[in-house]
Amino acid sequence: MMNLSLFILISLLSAAAFADTTMICRMGDIADMDIRVESLEGRNERLTVTVYSMDGESKTSYTNSSFDNSSLSQSLTAGHLDALVSVSDLQDTFGGAYLEAGRLVMKHNKSEDRYDVQFAAKDVIFTASCR
C-alpha cells in the first residue's frame, strides 16, 4: 500500500511540474513558436501553441482547453503528446471539420532533455526543438 501511495504522489508531482509552463521553441528562420500549458479550474488544463511570424508583428494562437484529469501534463510526463488545437479552441466547426486548426506532436528527447516537435497548420509543418 505504501508503494502505491508513493507512486500516486510522484505521478501527481510530475504532472504538476508542467502546469503553467511555457516552452520556447527553436525553429530556424521560418517563424518562432511558444507552447504553453496552463492549469484551469479543477484538474483541467489548456494547451496553447503560438506561432510568431518573422516580421515580428503578427502571431496566431491555437488552443485546446479540453484536457481533463491532468491528462495534458500526464502525456508530457510520459514523453509523448499528440493533440489538436484551433484558433477557436475547437469550438467552431464546419461540416464536421475544425476551422483554422493545427496538430501538435511532441516527443521527449531524453538524451538532450528537450521535446522534438512537429506542428502542422495552414498547409505548413513546423519542426522545432522546445524546452
Side-chain angles (χ1 to χ4, degrees):
M1 184 66 174
M2 179 67 159
N3 287 339
L4 178 60
S5 297
L6 185 59
F7 173 76
I8 291 171
L9 177 63
I10 290 171
S11 296
L12 290 174
L13 290 174
S14 295
F18 286 100
D20 298 327
T21 299
T22 300
M23 295 182 208
I24 308 299
C25 303
R26 292 176 286 157
M27 296 176 37
D29 61 359
I30 191 169
D32 288 324
M33 180 170 63
D34 293 344
I35 299 170
R36 180 149 176 83
V37 175
E38 298 173 86
S39 295
L40 302 175
E41 201 169 307
R43 294 183 62 211
N44 297 330
E45 296 171 307
R46 174 185 304 135
L47 172 67
T48 303
V49 178
T50 304
V51 178
Y52 302 89
S53 67
M54 291 311 290
D55 66 11
E57 306 240 349
S58 57
K59 69 178 183 176
T60 305
S61 293
Y62 301 85
T63 305
N64 181 339
S65 297
S66 63
F67 293 95
D68 56 1
N69 297 319
S70 300
S71 60
L72 175 56
S73 294
Q74 290 173 4
S75 293
L76 291 171
T77 300
H80 184 266
L81 176 68
D82 190 341
L84 294 177
V85 290
S86 80
V87 171
S88 67
D89 196 9
L90 302 178
Q91 299 304 308
D92 295 336
T93 59
F94 180 75
Y98 293 117
L99 302 176
E100 294 193 60
R103 181 176 178 193
L104 178 70
V105 177
M106 300 175 64
K107 293 182 183 176
H108 189 247
N109 182 329
K110 291 179 186 177
S111 65
E112 297 186 28
D113 193 27
R114 68 170 192 217
Y115 281 89
D116 295 324
V117 173
Q118 290 185 331
F119 178 64
K122 295 185 179 181
D123 297 327
V124 178
I125 298 175
F126 300 99
T127 58
S129 170
C130 304
R131 289 189 179 174

